[in-house]
Amino acid sequence: MNTFGQIFRLTTFGESHGEAIGGVVDGMPAGIEIDVDFIQQELARRRPGQSSITTSRKEADQVELLSGVFEGRSTGCPIGFIVRNQNQHSADYDNMRQLFRPSHADYTYYYKYGTRDHRGGGRSSARITISRCVAGALAKLALRQLGISIQAYTSQVGPIALEHDYRHYDLSLTETNAVRCPDGETAARMIELIEQVKADGDTIGGVITCVVKGCPPGLGAPEAHKLHADLGAAMLSINAVKGFEYGEGFAGVSQRGSEQNDRFVDSHTMAADGTSTDDSRLVLTTRTNHSGGIQGGISNGQDIYFRVAFKPVATLLQQQETVDINGHPTTLTARGRHDPCVLPRAVPIVESMTAMTIFDHYLLDKSSKY
């Protein structure tokens, strides 16, 4: 239950307040240039303490690659890595040892296993997503050679939302503000709201939008492992995610089929891998992209875009009613360092899970051809 993927596989280990977070990536093809600075940059986008609207926990999140890389390239062998924890304040959680935090995994974990690590949630902590960002960075490096790019951004915080879809914004501006929203004016309003929520000792949720460009047609399957189903499963495995929709999603239900259908308008021939061979096949484009780049569970070559809903962080710096491990009513006031809004740090996590899913399906597609 700790492994993600079919060919490109990530197995993770570690706890929030343990010695280290780590993982093993298997299925990485040999010969991929491994840019350690890029991997570190991706971790820096996820790490705590990066702005006034994130947790103040200070961690360098320095990755150590242990295997599978030689002279700057992947060897085709498993890539082992660790990121050591260095700034745990475990004492902040002493008052939670005998209590179940509302809307956390405390009770369900305890009921299932009969034990739990109360220090920051242990294995259920969002700090475990460090491993996903490392593996996602490796997948991005491979996808980069295929001309496939992935960009996620914050599109909504509480009631404050971007008015238009991704085509109306310069997504290169996403990293220019703390909330990672490509529209500066909207970003300022989002940040103001998060700061107010933080001052109240409360939290707030929102939506992250992700766009995949350059994905070739043919990835995915018509039954099990539909591409959108695997993307949805990847997103819903991220801490605090409560919803996933791709293409027009729920907004499309108010339209008719004549408005939703993506009509074919252009075509050319090319080989499945982009080269000129006798096995060339027809490649089509569409006038619209209500389908979100996926039809029948298989990519159609258009932009893949989807939205991921995140709930408000469950840890509040306010008094809450709860019960102890014996079922007795009590109250809890959390201490420590926590995110008032998870979205800014979740953007690279969404990208990482997307990269792993797309690259895994690319390898699956190649393995099915002979």
Side-chain angles (χ1 to χ4, degrees), residues 192-213:
E192 182 179 6
L193 174 60
I194 295 171
E195 289 176 338
Q196 181 58 58
V197 166
K198 179 180 180 180
D200 295 338
D202 215 332
T203 62
I204 197 162
V207 176
I208 289 176
T209 297
C210 187
V211 183
V212 182
K213 290 182 174 292

Side-chain angles (χ1 to χ4, degrees), residues 75-249:
T75 64
C77 298
I79 299 177
F81 62 88
I82 60 171
V83 174
R84 300 183 187 277
N85 293 324
Q86 298 177 327
N87 191 230
Q88 311 97 309
H89 286 184
S90 298
D92 288 343
Y93 296 88
D94 284 350
N95 66 324
M96 304 179 192
R97 180 184 292 272
Q98 303 294 320
L99 306 179
F100 294 129
R101 295 171 296 172
S103 288
H104 273 278
D106 294 352
Y107 167 68
T108 52
Y109 195 104
Y110 185 77
Y111 188 93
K112 181 175 180 66
Y113 298 106
T115 184
R116 70 183 177 94
D117 185 343
H118 67 281
R119 304 166 304 167
R123 185 66 177 155
S124 62
S125 169
R127 186 153 176 78
I128 305 304
T129 58
I130 285 175
S131 296
R132 300 179 182 214
C133 282
V134 174
L138 291 169
K140 280 186 175 182
L141 289 172
L143 292 175
R144 180 189 294 175
Q145 298 190 12
L146 300 172
I148 300 173
S149 64
I150 298 168
Q151 176 70 67
Y153 61 92
T154 299
S155 54
Q156 182 172 344
V157 173
I160 301 173
L162 293 173
E163 295 183 10
H164 307 291
D165 68 26
Y166 71 95
R167 290 165 293 191
H168 289 78
Y169 302 100
D170 180 356
L171 300 189
S172 68
L173 299 177
T174 298
E175 296 294 320
T176 61
N177 55 73
V179 77
R180 294 196 164 94
C181 173
D183 181 75
E185 182 177 341
T186 305
R189 294 167 55 213
M190 290 176 173
I191 292 171
E192 182 179 6
L193 174 60
I194 295 171
E195 289 176 338
Q196 181 58 58
V197 166
K198 179 180 180 180
D200 295 338
D202 215 332
T203 62
I204 197 162
V207 176
I208 289 176
T209 297
C210 187
V211 183
V212 182
K213 290 182 174 292
C215 184
L219 303 192
E223 184 54 31
H225 290 296
K226 297 175 187 286
L227 182 55
H228 61 270
D230 281 357
L231 282 169
M235 297 307 123
L236 290 165
S237 74
I238 300 172
N239 306 57
V241 170
K242 303 295 284 187
F244 169 85
E245 62 173 356
Y246 74 103
E248 291 294 315

Side-chain angles (χ1 to χ4, degrees), residues 2 10-16 18-25 43 62-66 79-85 123 127-135:
N2 299 292
L10 166 68
T11 301
T12 70
F13 63 85
E15 295 83 33
S16 175
E19 289 297 317
I21 306 296
V24 177
V25 172
L43 283 175
Q62 189 73 36
V63 65
E64 301 174 40
L65 299 182
L66 306 177
I79 299 177
F81 62 88
I82 60 171
V83 174
R84 300 183 187 277
N85 293 324
R123 185 66 177 155
R127 186 153 176 78
I128 305 304
T129 58
I130 285 175
S131 296
R132 300 179 182 214
C133 282
V134 174

Side-chain angles (χ1 to χ4, degrees), residues 166-167 247-248 260 262 286-294 300 302-305:
Y166 71 95
R167 290 165 293 191
E248 291 294 315
Q260 276 283 300
D262 295 317
T286 56
R287 187 182 305 278
T288 55
N289 187 20
H290 301 296
S291 300
I294 304 171
N300 65 6
Q302 305 303 303
D303 291 348
I304 296 172
Y305 63 95

